Amino acid sequence: MLAAQAVSQSAADPLSGLVLRDIPVPQPRPGWSRVRVVASSLNMHDLWTLRGVGHPAEQLPIVLGCDATGYDEDGNAVIVHPVIADPDAGDGDETLDPNRALMSEKYDGTFAEYLCVPSRNLVPKPQWLSFDEAACLPVAWTTAYRMLFTQAGLRAGDRVLVQGAGGGVASAAIILAAAAGAVVYATSRSEDKRAEALTWGATAALPTGARLPERVDVVIETVGEATWSHSLKSLRPGGTVVVAGATSGMNPPADLGRVFYMQQRILGSTGCTRAELVAMLRMMEATGVRPVIDRALPLHDIHKAFQLMIDGALTGKLVINPPNSEEHA
């Protein structure tokens, strides 16, 4: 089968380690299932792997890709929950299992014609979602859902700041928060992405670092160093910053004086549970919200797809379709 593998890592030239080649079709172990992939989508996690961030070199080569939807061996349309873990090891929350792994970390990922996952990781794909739409959800959308509703406890009427509008998690957070009745402020350096954020339900979209009309209850932070100071200054006393990424740098000034004096809460968030994925699907059905897809490309164009992400040329998700995925979009 055709698959996109990371075979080496380079911070300066990440695409030098990305290889598209034929590998054997995987065989499921006991308790696992094989899925014929119809659609996947690109995440920053894939780029970090190629850059050597958070992925040991001794675990190469590995098939990249964290998101997938397709058909199980019985012909059922499924979405693949991407966190491979033991819920019992995390007190009922598989994201807290110390040995958890996202697809493409310890196990081959989703940029391939077939993949194998634990059978519990398969969730029925609703008929009202296309395969391309469903492929956008497992990482970016569920990350945003957990940040907003599990970690921040978002309620209707809350004021939310989403930093870095345009990315997969940020666009999902804007759409989900607005659908839940929140007042959403979005920021971006790009005028085009700010305009898009307004169409997704943001109340206002401002340049990065601009003063907000009011302080917010919740900040959704995936940018890191470039926006951290603005995130803390935009937060009301007692408000919450939820962090699920740091694309611009991991170590901003902590500003601990502001944190303790304003009694601000800073919460980390990683991935989601299978139950949260199911709950988010119910919310999407009830509200009619759908993911933002920038474009879909065939697996043969995987290098072009990564370059678009590196260039910051995407607004929303980029979908990848493997060969012979006759049903998509």
Side-chain angles (χ1 to χ4, degrees):
M1 67 171 186
L2 191 66
Q5 288 185 318
V7 299
S8 64
Q9 297 170 316
S10 169
D13 185 15
L15 297 190
S16 64
L18 177 64
V19 174
L20 191 63
R21 62 188 178 190
D22 283 313
I23 64 173
V25 174
Q27 302 301 315
R29 64 190 78 182
W32 288 48
S33 297
R34 185 166 60 199
V35 174
R36 179 172 69 83
V37 179
V38 172
S40 182
S41 71
L42 200 60
N43 290 285
M44 281 300 301
H45 184 278
D46 305 307
L47 186 56
W48 292 128
T49 298
L50 289 169
R51 285 176 168 160
V53 178
H55 190 99
E58 57 266 24
Q59 291 183 2
L60 301 179
I62 197 162
V63 177
L64 292 171
C66 308
D67 294 323
T69 182
Y71 292 102
D72 68 13
E73 292 165 297
D74 295 323
N76 300 306
V78 294
I79 300 172
V80 177
H81 171 52
V83 180
I84 300 175
D86 178 4
D88 291 338
D91 255 354
D93 182 337
E94 60 259 42
T95 68
L96 299 178
D97 176 0
N99 295 313
R100 74 181 185 273
L102 194 65
M103 295 290 296
S104 79
E105 289 183 342
K106 296 180 182 177
Y107 309 97
D108 277 334
T110 62
F111 293 154
E113 295 180 77
Y114 293 91
L115 61 85
C116 290
V117 291
S119 298
R120 78 168 296 271
N121 284 60
L122 300 184
V123 174
K125 183 190 79 67
Q127 290 187 345
W128 46 265
L129 266 181
S130 74
F131 280 97
D132 280 12
E133 289 172 335
C136 300
L137 304 180
V139 172
W141 271 63
T142 57
T143 294
Y145 181 91
R146 181 179 175 89
M147 293 173 80
L148 289 166
F149 303 108
T150 303
Q151 305 291 54
L154 186 74
R155 299 171 298 181
D158 280 353
R159 299 153 297 172
V160 180
L161 167 62
V162 179
Q163 298 280 24
V169 173
S171 63
I174 293 167
I175 294 168
L176 289 169
V183 175
V184 183
Y185 299 105
T187 66
S188 175
R189 292 174 298 177
S190 164
E191 185 176 350
D192 289 343
K193 291 180 180 180
R194 293 198 298 271
E196 287 286 344
L198 295 175
T199 71
W200 303 336
T203 302
L206 304 95
T208 301
R211 186 181 182 89
L212 303 185
E214 58 183 334
R215 285 186 171 177
V216 298
D217 304 287
V218 176
V219 178
I220 297 301
E221 175 63 80
T222 60
V223 179
E225 287 184 12
T227 55
W228 185 251
S229 175
H230 182 248
S231 291
L232 295 184
K233 291 176 182 177
S234 300
L235 197 62
R236 69 163 172 82
T240 303
V241 179
V242 186
V243 185
T247 56
S248 68
M250 300 283 187
N251 295 294
D255 199 0
L256 293 180
R258 178 182 296 275
V259 171
F260 73 72
Y261 189 75
M262 303 290 282
Q263 300 186 66
Q264 295 173 337
R265 299 191 306 155
I266 299 172
L267 301 176
S269 192
T270 296
C272 80
T273 65
R274 185 186 189 280
E276 286 167 336
L277 171 55
V278 172
M280 186 187 71
L281 290 171
R282 291 198 300 264
M283 178 184 177
M284 293 178 68
E285 182 177 21
T287 60
V289 298
R290 298 292 185 270
V292 177
I293 298 176
D294 185 281
R295 72 192 74 187
L297 293 174
L299 182 56
H300 288 287
D301 287 343
I302 191 69
H303 287 83
K304 176 182 177 181
F306 271 94
Q307 191 62 57
L308 287 166
M309 174 170 277
I310 291 170
D311 294 341
L314 300 173
T315 301
K317 296 291 288 179
L318 193 156
V319 172
I320 300 294
N321 299 123
N324 303 315
S325 58
E326 66 274 5
E327 189 173 359
H328 60 80

